[in-house]
Amino acid sequence: MGVARRLRRAGVVAALAALPLMLNPATAQAAGDWTDYTDLVPYMPDLPGFRDGSVDYAGGYVWAMIGWDGTKEVWLKAIAKDTAGDGKGIAMQIRYQSYRNGAWSGWQYRLPAKAGGLNKKDIKLYENDVPIKNVQFRGCYYTGTSTIVQCDGTWH
């Protein structure tokens, strides 16, 4: 189902006039697997599958909301907030599998949200461009160059 139809279903048709992003969404940093719809935040589509969770880690927290309808439609809202301001940044790392050329991939890894600096927050919203399954997330801290230094050992 297209984004415009989901917005109508959610009762926010007026948002279409204010969202030129709908016509030309920016591609996420996720190698063509995801499209960035961050301008739609706080929107999150109403899908039959849904889970969310958060992790406090390394002077910050990450929070993920994941909605899906099978593997055809997957949405990810990713939030990272630095609560320490200790010079390390907090990032959400996700892993997932994508379907391309007739087969499921091995794990794909991305950093959909990251924040550095006391009380800095990053909120992102993505929709899949290819079939996606097994989306998991964890918290990591990173340097100012986005190099991951260490991650929570548990995938959520």
Side-chain angles (χ1 to χ4, degrees), residues 5-129:
R5 202 154 96 205
R6 276 190 292 279
L7 286 173
R8 279 194 300 277
R9 188 172 78 190
V12 290
V13 176
L16 290 174
L19 294 173
L21 166 73
M22 301 293 290
L23 300 175
N24 188 18
T27 302
Q29 53 91 18
D33 292 345
W34 302 89
T35 296
D36 185 341
Y37 284 104
T38 298
D39 287 352
L40 293 178
V41 169
Y43 172 74
M44 183 73 179
D46 182 20
L47 296 169
F50 179 82
R51 71 181 176 93
D52 70 336
S54 63
V55 175
D56 291 312
Y57 185 74
Y61 75 83
V62 296
W63 179 41
M65 295 173 61
I66 304 165
W68 66 91
D69 181 5
T71 60
K72 294 182 282 184
E73 182 175 14
V74 180
W75 284 78
L76 168 68
K77 184 181 284 187
I79 300 172
K81 183 175 181 181
D82 185 341
T83 56
D86 58 4
K88 300 174 194 166
I90 184 76
M92 176 187 294
Q93 183 182 47
I94 62 168
R95 71 178 182 181
Y96 60 90
Q97 293 172 287
S98 61
Y99 191 80
R100 292 181 181 272
N101 301 318
W104 288 101
S105 70
W107 289 115
Q108 305 292 309
Y109 295 86
R110 306 287 179 251
L111 298 174
K114 54 191 175 196
L118 184 59
N119 293 321
K120 298 287 185 184
K121 186 186 322 185
D122 188 22
I123 303 173
K124 301 289 186 176
L125 179 66
Y126 297 99
E127 181 183 22
N128 64 312
D129 290 332

